[in-house]
Amino acid sequence: MDISHANFVTGPRSDPAPAVSVRAVSYSAVAIALHWIIALCILGQIALGWRLHDIAPGPDRFVAFQLHKSIGITILLLSVARLAWRLVHPAPPEMPMPRWQHVTSRLVHWGLYGIMIGLPLTGWIMVSTSKLPIPTRLYGMVPWPAVPGFTGLSPATKAAWNGASNTGHTLLVFVTVAMLALHLGAVAKHQFVDRDGVLARMAPGAKSGWKEPRLWIAAGLALAAILIGHNILGGSSAGRHEHEQARAAAAPVVAVAPVAAADAPVAAATPAQQEPKALPPHWRMQDGTLHFATTWSGAAIAGGFSRWSPEIIFSPDDLARSSLAVRIDVTSVSTGDSQRDAALPTADWFDTATHPSAIFRSRNIRSAGGDSYVAVGTLDLRGVRHSVSVPFSVKIANGSATAQGGFTIDRTLFGVGQGEWSATDQIPAGVRVSFAIRANAPR
């Protein structure tokens, strides 16, 4: 942010402030645009940063931090662009003022450049050395990497860098607030006391005094940036909670009998009086859904997998030779939130780079009365295998079958959620899984 036009300390005046006698020369259009855009981003970013402390851990806090990172990187890129432009396009001639004021102005001018670059840079280092490597997507769309060279550091070195950057980031926030206060005070002095037309350097055509409309437009934009930064997530908790509840309600979770323990004895299917002559039909899925639901700090979270393929061999009259196998492409996970979806494939959650698929295979299927059944088998998720029971119901008519079911798994048994996320105070251990299938039997 260019402030060479503003002196921060002025000496005593022996006579009333004269009207401007030297016409202020404005900066270039590019410099002016970058100046105001960066200024508004910084004001909004500070307000958002202060708001973060009031947001409880959970989805809203996650979204707020991702937005905070996005704006920070934006400020960094714009500041580097402004500095490059400044080095190639010198500032216009300075306004007449004592030499020591020019020196002070230049020092603060370059100091603000250091802050505009140093503040987001320290934040970027904090993210790059965090124990939780949550991917950064600028505004939920553009992937942003870690600081080059930091991902390969040892845990101890990362921790040292993280602590130092955290401290530096916090200090720079307070320095930024102090400098902004001085800058605005200097602008007010030049505009209302000295009346020397300095504002025109960054607002071409502006005149001194209270009646200058460009001054109040700038003040209004600054206030709007602060209010937007502080309230940009206002009301989002209730809205997001309602949205997730609607998604969860749309998932085909059905009421089922309590799931039997994985190691409980399974009742043998009643054998038919006569061995069937043919194997149970091999059903082909026509369409289906596979969803999961949990909560995060009390807010409902619903998601699903778009790519999965079941192999269904089933006959109510021949459960002994019926079987169910499902392969799930875990990389197809989606929760409707791009930031959260970017984190789920990482090693802290599904670790899709090492375990791209989850597989369930039944050992036996037993009747639970009527159209209800329970498939007992093994779920291989994230390289960990555990026995699970899957209750489901089936309706068969005219060579077509519809099935739906639901069960709960303990995510911690499979290592889904490492480090801080292994705790169950924010995200419970139990995750509800539900499915619905429409299938046809070959004729």
Side-chain angles (χ1 to χ4, degrees), residues 198-222:
V198 164
L199 181 63
R201 290 167 69 85
M202 276 297 170
K207 298 179 181 180
S208 299
W210 293 95
K211 296 181 180 180
E212 171 52 53
R214 296 170 184 80
L215 174 70
W216 297 111
I217 291 174
L221 290 174

Side-chain angles (χ1 to χ4, degrees), residues 109-133:
H109 168 81
W110 291 107
L112 279 178
Y113 270 120
I115 287 175
M116 291 187 300
I117 294 175
L119 194 57
L121 184 59
T122 52
W124 188 15
I125 294 174
M126 287 170 57
V127 172
S128 302
T129 56
S130 172
K131 291 187 293 185
L132 297 176

Side-chain angles (χ1 to χ4, degrees), residues 4 48 84 101 135 152 154 172 222 277 280 318 339-340 345 362 419-420 441:
S4 57
L48 175 59
Q101 292 183 14
S154 66
L172 285 176
K277 295 181 180 181
D318 193 359
Q339 306 286 355
R340 190 163 56 226
S362 68
E420 176 185 340

